[in-house]
Amino acid sequence: MDTILIVDDNHAVCSALALMLELNGYQTISCYSPDEVLPLLAQHDIALVLQDMNFTQDTTSGEEGKALFYQIRAQQPKLPIILLTAWTQLEVAVELVKEGAVDYMGKPWDDDKLLTSVNNLISLHALTRENSALQKAEHERMQALSGADLCGIVFGSVAMQRSVDLALQVAKSDVSVLITGPNGAGKDKLADIIHANSPLKTKPFIKVNIGALPMELLEAELFGAEAGAFTGANKARIGRFEAADGGTLFLDEIGNLPLSGQVKLLRVLQTGEFERLGSHQTRKVNVRVISATNADLADDIANGRFREDLFYRLNVIELALAPLQQRVEDIVPLAHHFVGDNFSIDKPAQQALQAHSWPGNVRELENACKRAVILAQSSTLTATDFGLDGAQAPVAAAPMAPSAAYRQVDEVADAGIDANADKPEVDKLAIEQALAQHNGVIARVAKSLGLSRQALYRRMDKFGIEK
């Protein structure tokens, strides 16, 4: 409820104004001397000031009100002020309006006219403050980005912007980060950003694609092996953990790590200690672990394929990356980046690119762009060059407000889960109860509610629920 400060030496005037304003949903504070105003402004969140222009008996010059006006302006330059008086000359009123008084009314006032002015000015002031806060936040974000190493990432969507912002935020700490999302969406790029902007950026950054390694060699790759530890091990070799000592280790496709490797990984995360294969000598390292997966680890835990205690160690911070079809605004900037400066993309091709579902995500888009450049008949690429000449271009629409954009993304994402299923209506209370029941584990909460992790995150943002 907004609070209005009424300043008038006439108690009856203050009482009448207070009654009228309180009947219309406002709180009021009344004071009868200009000397009381500045302390009250410092103590209370005041939305608007209604001030008289004369406070001394038999004074009609308006100089007292003029002095008070300038004092208020000096303390709170943007605060709406309505001037009320029966005596002040028009010249004074004009002067103060030019200096920032937003309205001027004579006594006796018209209740409806005064109330309309109060409503409009408070609404405008609230919007101005909100815009100022947004501009400040955007300025601070752009300053943070200007000083950050974004590792060449290209994006244009709000969803990707939020992922990058979170990556930069968690980069400053040394906690473990789990990046989730579909194959080809750019999980490794976010890992690059985290390391490049961390205190460990000058230290080793070792990447391991667990899904690309044979199961029988995984432990040797991660933890090293002594000579003779297995067939073909002719000499001792260090593992990736030793190579990353003092720096960062990125474990891609962590869901493919066998249970025996998970036990050793859990021990390293807890103590920093491990042994090479074929050795009883305990070694110790200090490594920050970033992991990534496209798997549903909550389902893997339920089916005994992944250790729950390891999941909690890896998932101190979860960074969920949306598929490209939910980041439509990223598609054209990425395509321009992939085709290079020697090629342009015509408008129908851009629309076809945005209409395509890109099940292979950014990786598929990059391959399509490489193919288009090779097969192009001119420097202007068409939908045919991308193999999308049969794609249905999206209908042009007016730009949406951010809230509408989020709603549309949410609808598209939910449709992508199962276009034929009845999607559950999940309210704020249900999400909060599920978070408490599953100790805040997003994957398990999402599964219990019948949502994807991305859909759950969007609803949490919508309801203002913090993880």
Side-chain angles (χ1 to χ4, degrees), residues 7-57:
V7 190
D8 199 300
D9 61 313
N10 188 323
H11 289 225
V13 168
C14 289
S15 298
L17 287 170
L19 178 61
M20 185 267 291
L21 293 169
E22 288 169 3
L23 287 174
N24 286 277
Y26 293 104
Q27 290 183 334
T28 63
I29 298 175
S30 297
C31 66
Y32 311 108
S33 168
D35 297 335
E36 303 174 34
V37 173
L38 297 186
L40 286 171
L41 290 178
Q43 295 169 14
H44 301 275
D45 183 14
I46 301 298
L48 180 141
V49 174
L50 273 170
Q51 71 155 85
D52 192 16
M53 292 296 292
N54 298 291
F55 299 96
T56 304
Q57 191 173 5

Side-chain angles (χ1 to χ4, degrees), residues 348-388:
Q350 293 182 30
Q351 294 175 331
L353 288 168
Q354 291 178 315
H356 188 62
S357 61
W358 301 110
N361 295 290
V362 178
R363 190 175 297 137
E364 181 188 357
L365 174 61
E366 182 178 9
N367 290 340
C369 291
K370 289 179 179 179
R371 183 170 58 251
V373 167
I374 293 172
L375 302 178
Q377 301 299 311
S378 74
S379 60
T380 300
L381 302 177
T382 67
T384 302
D385 295 320
F386 290 99
L388 298 174

Side-chain angles (χ1 to χ4, degrees), residues 108-125:
W109 60 87
D110 181 294
D111 280 357
D112 291 336
K113 184 178 179 181
L114 177 57
L115 188 60
T116 297
S117 181
V118 167
N119 292 338
N120 291 341
L121 292 177
I122 288 180
S123 297
L124 180 61
H125 183 51

Side-chain angles (χ1 to χ4, degrees), residues 86-153:
W87 302 103
T88 304
Q89 297 298 320
L90 181 60
E91 291 80 1
V92 177
V94 171
E95 175 189 343
L96 296 187
V97 168
K98 288 181 178 179
E99 292 296 326
V102 291
D103 209 346
Y104 185 96
M105 293 190 183
K107 295 179 181 177
W109 60 87
D110 181 294
D111 280 357
D112 291 336
K113 184 178 179 181
L114 177 57
L115 188 60
T116 297
S117 181
V118 167
N119 292 338
N120 291 341
L121 292 177
I122 288 180
S123 297
L124 180 61
H125 183 51
L127 182 60
T128 301
R129 286 196 298 182
E130 182 179 348
N131 287 340
S132 297
L134 289 173
Q135 289 173 359
K136 181 180 178 181
E138 179 67 10
H139 177 69
E140 291 174 350
R141 186 183 64 78
M142 293 305 296
Q143 281 190 320
L145 287 180
S146 65
D149 183 353
L150 298 183
C151 302
I153 194 171

